[in-house]
């Protein structure tokens, strides 16, 4: 049996059993799981190994596209304060963005992956990810690949720079700074967009997946997250570092009516549908709201009033606004696709088993 540490409310023993089975059977190498009911943790578990020792309570790792939910939450907060209008042209906040026929692209198109800018149009190398001005300037000058707002095409990395630049233009702060000061700090949550050096020793390197067919990146892209340049950079769609506890703590804000960060109405805005169909990039059916995936045939969530997203390789977070429950799973062993796998699904279903017994 694998050693799993932490605590687990007796109603949620199925979650502990699911994590234990993943670790014991080799599906996971190291992982953490958290469940919040309201703003109270009922599950906080971790176990397994990292590249340099046991997975510990304070171990963090790169969670890839879970970071998008953090950036989206920042935008939702600004909209709730009246500083950001999702239906306004992006160029209202970022004038240079109007180039190449984008003057009518709205902020909601960025949030819902319908802006037509899923990649940088010119061939670039990875160094652009560490140069905010270059990354955003290239996107501002670029022509959309399709009519914005008509369909989604997953903006796997570009979304963070697009939404992040809008946040920077409004607040005068980078998205990583805004997130730290307005979200992670107030919630005492151990999640970082741009990781300070003092936390390097706690990072579990991801274990790259075997190469998968496109659109999944090659394994070398996963190895980039091992570098100092990646950890220091603010990559707001893919570079966040945290664990299940911090992910669930932050996203529980949605499931609890906003807490001190959002109004109840501000939370409800996640359900404003932006697309519903086969995504041009992912090739699967996706229904996007404002920054989150909504229940659909491609994302069959247990509750119709829940939102979710996952990170490349398998991490996942689900916030159920009816049940007031948030579930998160974060691991270091990646599998190939963008769209998750049975490990995270098993954790989420186990949490709903516990919820039914509450």
């Amino acid at each position: 049996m694998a050693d799993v540490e932490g605590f687990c409310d007796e109603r949620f023993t199925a979650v502990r059993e699911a994590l234990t089975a993943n670790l014991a059977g080799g599906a996971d190498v190291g992982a953490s799981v958290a469940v919040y009911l309201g703003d109270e943790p009922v599950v906080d578990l971790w176990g397994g190994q990292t590249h340099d020792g046991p997975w510990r309570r304070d171990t963090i790792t790169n969670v890839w596209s879970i970071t998008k939910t953090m950036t989206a939450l920042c935008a939702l907060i600004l909209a709730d304060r009246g500083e950001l209008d999702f239906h306004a042209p992006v160029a209202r906040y970022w004038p240079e963005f109007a180039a190449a026929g984008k003057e009518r692209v709205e902020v909601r198109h960025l949030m819902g992956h319908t802006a037509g800018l899923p990649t940088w149009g010119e061939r670039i190398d990875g160094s652009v990810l560490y140069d905010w001005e270059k990354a955003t300037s290239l996107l501002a000058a670029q022509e959309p690949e399709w009519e914005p707002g008509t369909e989604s095409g997953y903006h796997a990395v570009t979304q963070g720079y697009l939404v992040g630049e809008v946040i920077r233009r409004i607040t005068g702060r980078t998205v990583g700074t805004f997130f730290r000061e307005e979200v992670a700090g107030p919630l005492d949550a151990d999640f970082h967009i741009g990781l300070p050096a003092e936390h390097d020793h706690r990072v579990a390197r991801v274990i790259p997946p075997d190469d998968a067919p496109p659109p999944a990146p090659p394994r070398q892209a996963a190895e980039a997250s091992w570098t100092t340049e990646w950890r220091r950079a603010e990559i707001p769609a893919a570079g966040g570092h945290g664990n299940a506890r911090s992910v669930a703590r932050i996203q529980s804000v949605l499931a609890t009516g906003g807490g001190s960060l959002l109004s109840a109405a501000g939370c409800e805005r996640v359900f404003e549908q932006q697309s519903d169909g086969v995504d041009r990039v992912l090739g699967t059916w996706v229904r996007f709201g404002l920054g989150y995936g909504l229940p659909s045939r491609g994302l069959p969530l247990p509750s119709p009033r829940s939102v979710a997203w996952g990170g490349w390789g398998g991490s996942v977070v689900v916030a159920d606004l009816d049940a007031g429950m948030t579930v998160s799973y974060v691991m270091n062993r990646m599998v190939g696709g963008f769209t998750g796998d049975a490990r995270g699904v098993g954790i989420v279903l186990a949490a709903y088993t516990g919820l039914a017994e509450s």
Side-chain angles (χ1 to χ4, degrees), residues 23-45:
L23 289 166
D28 275 321
V29 175
S32 59
V33 174
V35 180
Y36 271 69
L37 281 182
D39 59 2
E40 294 296 326
V42 292
V43 176
D44 183 7
L45 298 170

Side-chain angles (χ1 to χ4, degrees), residues 91-116:
R92 175 186 296 180
Y93 310 104
W94 179 5
E96 299 90 334
F97 187 83
K102 299 194 302 302
E103 62 276 357
R104 296 175 62 186
V105 176
E106 299 176 12
V107 178
R108 65 188 180 93
H109 298 149
L110 309 183
M111 297 287 286
H113 301 270
T114 69

